[in-house]
Amino acid sequence: MRATKRGASRTRLDRDCDVLICGASFGGLAVAREVASTGARVLLLDRYEIGERQTSACGIPTLWLHALGLGETLLQSFDELLVHTPWTTTRWPLPWSFATFDYRALCELMWAHTGLGEEAFETAKVDGVTRAELHAGAADAGAADAGAAHAGAPHTVHTDRGDVRAPLVVDALGWRRVLSAEATVRPPRAPLSRGLEVHPPGGGDELELWIDARYIRSGYSWSFPAREEVRVGVGSFWPTDHVREPTVRLAGELGLGLGEPFDYQGNWIPHALRPATEDGVFFVGDSAGHCLPLTAEGIRTAIYFGLACGRELRAVLDGRHTRAQALERYRAFSDAHAWKYRSLLRSQRFIGQLTPTPAVTAIVRAMGSRRLAGWAFDHYLRIAPPWFALACQPVARRGGRTQVALAR
């Protein structure tokens, strides 16, 4: 058993390492995947055990699961999206399939792929950071030889169990951006959407969305089958709007969970990019606003930017770049996607304003065209393409569907 336990029985944490990753969900695990092979001392911190706390519908383009070698965690895949408005129901043909997956199994498998030992993970609540001088030399002679001179002096991260020191620190803790020096902006003033979900037992073959003011005035509702359960939820683009009642009502209208108490899961969802670096710290996933506006898809992008961040850290550990260079390169990589995020945010605001009107129905019907849907969803996939994982490479599209060839 790990020495770390819950409550008062927790042992004191006082460690030095080369890479400290705060947050053990998709983004943090993707960073760990990239730096694990360097031989550096890596530590992953989270309040919960790996895979313990699911906060989303856990859906992702199926290509990403296969690109990362995570296909065994797939529960169901879908080639179409059934979209409802008050005036119509339209099938959108997808040029690539979308999958629901097992959150715990995926996180545990991502962690297993790193090959890092049990000592590389600890449960602790991260409270803040004291930053080192960015241009100071490496202070820890025990750091990995190849990258010690390039990594700089260590930052000190404070947790409820003690302090951890590392020159390369990643915040993958979520929208609160815990390791930021800026004042926390909380909802409803922050650029956040909100979502709530229930997972009643059931089944189905349709991936469904509702753009309907009967459930939420600005946002959408969903039903994602996942083998033995259905993930039903409501997301609002306006953080002041409540989503619990319409979530329960939608589940009831679908005949799910009737007469049984629900277990709720939900979260605030960023819909605007934030700086990917700040004073020597790297930010990944929701802490950098990497969740996509309009669709609120954040898993794929957390992994995508996590891989990019991890590769920059690996270059420091290998002695190819300094920490300052890695910070600049990673920030530039994230910033290069800003126009895509602005475009999706404009679409979110446009759709949000039109939700109660028949104009949305015209858009939904138009997306029933295989040609238009193929064009739109292929562009959407390329915001964070699966071949970035380097486990696969894109090849020509055939028969209107995106094809990939897995690397051998």
Side-chain angles (χ1 to χ4, degrees), residues 66-348:
H66 294 305
L68 292 165
L70 302 171
E72 65 190 78
T73 67
L74 185 150
L75 297 176
Q76 283 187 242
S77 62
F78 308 88
D79 295 324
E80 295 180 321
L81 182 59
L82 193 62
V83 184
H84 309 275
T85 77
W87 295 277
T88 191
T89 293
T90 304
R91 289 187 182 276
W92 292 1
L94 302 177
W96 36 265
S97 67
F98 194 81
T100 51
F101 61 85
D102 184 309
Y103 175 74
R104 180 181 289 274
L106 184 137
C107 290
E108 290 177 346
L109 187 55
M110 285 187 74
W111 178 243
H113 284 175
T114 68
L116 296 169
E118 183 176 303
E119 69 282 355
F121 175 74
E122 293 282 1
T123 53
K125 176 180 175 292
V126 176
D127 296 321
V129 62
T130 299
R131 291 165 171 80
E133 292 291 334
L134 294 187
H135 300 293
D140 183 3
D145 291 341
H150 294 75
H155 306 299
T156 301
V157 171
H158 311 292
T159 79
D160 62 345
R161 293 179 52 213
D163 291 345
V164 181
R165 293 160 294 279
L168 301 175
V169 175
V170 177
D171 181 332
L173 293 166
W175 66 269
R176 288 181 177 84
R177 201 172 165 90
V178 175
L179 299 185
S180 172
E182 299 175 355
T184 301
V185 181
R186 299 189 179 278
R189 302 188 127 199
L192 299 167
S193 303
R194 70 187 306 178
L196 186 70
E197 189 175 73
V198 293
H199 290 184
D205 300 316
E206 301 281 9
L207 190 70
E208 299 182 77
L209 289 181
W210 286 262
I211 306 174
D212 192 332
R214 290 183 303 138
Y215 300 115
I216 200 71
R217 62 171 177 161
S218 181
Y220 59 91
S221 310
W222 64 88
S223 171
F224 287 10
R227 195 175 293 171
E228 297 179 354
E229 67 180 19
V230 182
R231 298 164 181 174
V232 179
V234 174
S236 172
F237 299 150
W238 295 98
T240 53
D241 286 354
H242 296 289
V243 291
R244 179 165 177 161
E245 186 278 330
T247 298
V248 173
R249 177 156 45 91
L250 177 58
E253 291 175 3
L254 295 174
L256 300 166
L258 297 176
E260 300 179 6
F262 287 116
D263 289 328
Y264 298 94
Q265 67 174 39
N267 206 355
W268 297 104
I269 306 166
H271 56 235
L273 280 181
R274 302 184 70 180
T277 64
E278 181 189 313
D279 295 336
V281 175
F282 299 80
F283 293 82
V284 169
D286 284 0
S287 68
H290 285 148
C291 186
L292 294 173
L294 181 62
T295 64
E297 189 191 358
I299 297 171
R300 167 170 64 114
T301 49
I303 296 173
Y304 173 71
F305 286 101
L307 295 177
C309 179
R311 288 167 190 169
E312 296 301 335
L313 300 184
R314 191 171 64 198
V316 176
L317 297 166
D318 291 343
R320 292 180 282 123
H321 293 143
T322 65
R323 177 172 64 186
Q325 289 171 326
L327 288 162
E328 179 57 34
R329 286 168 58 88
Y330 175 62
R331 179 165 187 149
F333 178 85
S334 181
D335 288 350
H337 295 73
W339 70 271
K340 304 173 186 179
Y341 278 76
R342 288 194 298 267
S343 177
L344 286 174
L345 184 57
R346 284 194 294 268
S347 298
Q348 172 178 306

Side-chain angles (χ1 to χ4, degrees), residues 80-81 83 88 90-95 211 294 351 360-378 380:
E80 295 180 321
L81 182 59
V83 184
T88 191
T90 304
R91 289 187 182 276
W92 292 1
L94 302 177
I211 306 174
L294 181 62
I351 294 296
V360 172
T361 296
I363 297 172
V364 168
R365 283 176 175 160
M367 287 292 291
S369 160
R370 183 171 296 276
R371 183 173 182 178
L372 179 57
W375 176 85
F377 279 100
D378 270 349
Y380 176 71

Side-chain angles (χ1 to χ4, degrees), residues 33-34 64 67-68 303-304 307 311 385-392:
R33 172 187 185 266
E34 292 299 306
W64 263 100
L68 292 165
I303 296 173
Y304 173 71
L307 295 177
R311 288 167 190 169
W387 39 90
F388 187 77
L390 296 185
C392 63

